[in-house]
Amino acid sequence: MKVKICKMCKQKFTPSRQGQIVCSVKCAHEYSKLLQAKKRKKEKIEFIRSDRRYLTRQAQYWVNRYVRLRDKGVCISCGNKTRKMDAGHYRPAGRNSALRFDERNINCQCVVCNQYKSGNLIAYREALTKKIGLEMVLELESSNQCKKWSVEELREIIAKYKAKVKELNNG
Ligand SMILES: [Zn+2]
Ligand SMILES: [Zn+2]
């Protein structure tokens, strides 16, 4: 058979059977340990990632809930108040993840404005300018930052906004 390079020790060897990728029993053993370690590492990363996804959703849930309470359930774009309100990002969170949990960037919106009118942005901008001032609006508009929120940061946001929601509910 043709000479191969051992996957483990990187030395040349002549396989004694088809599909052999390591030169010796010792290398086979080490190689399987290596693969297992790689798999564990991958699983761990996978776990952390899914945890971060979960925490991101939780953090957004609590920030949004706070925003709806803060804004007393009134749509920033059209002024309507319905039973079910959304919290709408002025700058979409997907492309501006640094603004994902920014209170200035999230305001109470009715489902019609948020979901069917793509945020009803012209009216949104007008009302937001009145609410937080043109300077802040321009600041939000010039921000194009991607931020990878850490598990710790997400946990802090969740705790902070749970407390703020509680405070508003009690006050
Ligand atoms: Zn080897
Ligand atoms: Zn609306």
Side-chain angles (χ1 to χ4, degrees):
M1 261 187 256
K2 253 171 67 183
V3 169
K4 276 190 179 176
I5 305 280
C6 172
K7 282 263 191 195
M8 191 66 218
C9 68
K10 314 291 179 210
Q11 308 243 352
K12 283 182 182 162
F13 74 104
T14 310
S16 56
R17 56 174 175 80
Q18 206 65 44
Q20 187 180 340
I21 54 168
V22 286
C23 67
S24 62
V25 174
K26 186 175 162 271
C27 275
H29 186 66
E30 277 173 25
Y31 190 61
S32 99
K33 274 207 301 204
L34 185 79
L35 286 185
Q36 269 177 24
K38 267 190 184 164
K39 196 177 158 214
R40 271 199 302 275
K41 197 175 166 195
K42 205 179 154 204
E43 278 169 0
K44 201 176 162 194
I45 290 169
E46 214 60 44
F47 176 76
I48 291 168
R49 272 198 197 135
S50 70
D51 199 30
R52 193 182 280 129
R53 267 200 293 273
Y54 170 76
L55 291 171
T56 301
R57 278 199 299 274
Q58 283 289 302
Q60 193 71 73
Y61 168 82
W62 284 103
V63 174
N64 288 1
R65 205 170 149 179
Y66 163 74
V67 160
R68 287 193 299 267
L69 279 170
R70 179 199 67 192
D71 295 351
K72 299 182 168 65
V74 177
C75 174
I76 187 156
S77 300
C78 71
N80 277 347
K81 204 172 169 178
T82 54
R83 247 163 54 93
K84 200 191 164 300
M85 299 297 287
D86 285 340
H89 284 80
Y90 180 59
R91 303 295 311 283
R95 270 167 287 151
N96 308 276
S97 50
L99 297 176
R100 177 182 279 282
F101 306 115
D102 192 312
E103 280 181 30
R104 301 167 304 170
N105 191 44
I106 316 165
N107 293 273
C108 189
Q109 268 198 320
C110 71
V111 175
V112 174
C113 286
N114 187 37
Q115 297 180 26
Y116 303 113
K117 294 185 178 174
S118 307
N120 196 357
L121 283 179
I122 292 170
Y124 196 157
R125 188 180 199 273
E126 215 175 281
L128 192 62
T129 304
K130 278 188 199 134
K131 191 174 177 178
I132 65 172
L134 183 61
E135 207 177 311
M136 291 261 204
V137 172
L138 292 174
E139 200 186 301
L140 292 178
E141 286 171 348
S142 64
S143 167
N144 274 309
Q145 273 180 297
C146 273
K147 176 174 164 58
K148 198 168 182 191
W149 296 87
S150 72
V151 167
E152 292 72 34
E153 285 173 319
L154 293 169
R155 290 208 171 109
E156 268 171 35
I157 291 168
I158 293 166
K160 180 179 165 190
Y161 283 92
K162 262 186 185 173
K164 287 181 105 165
V165 164
K166 202 173 161 191
E167 204 183 293
L168 282 187
N169 273 333
N170 292 341

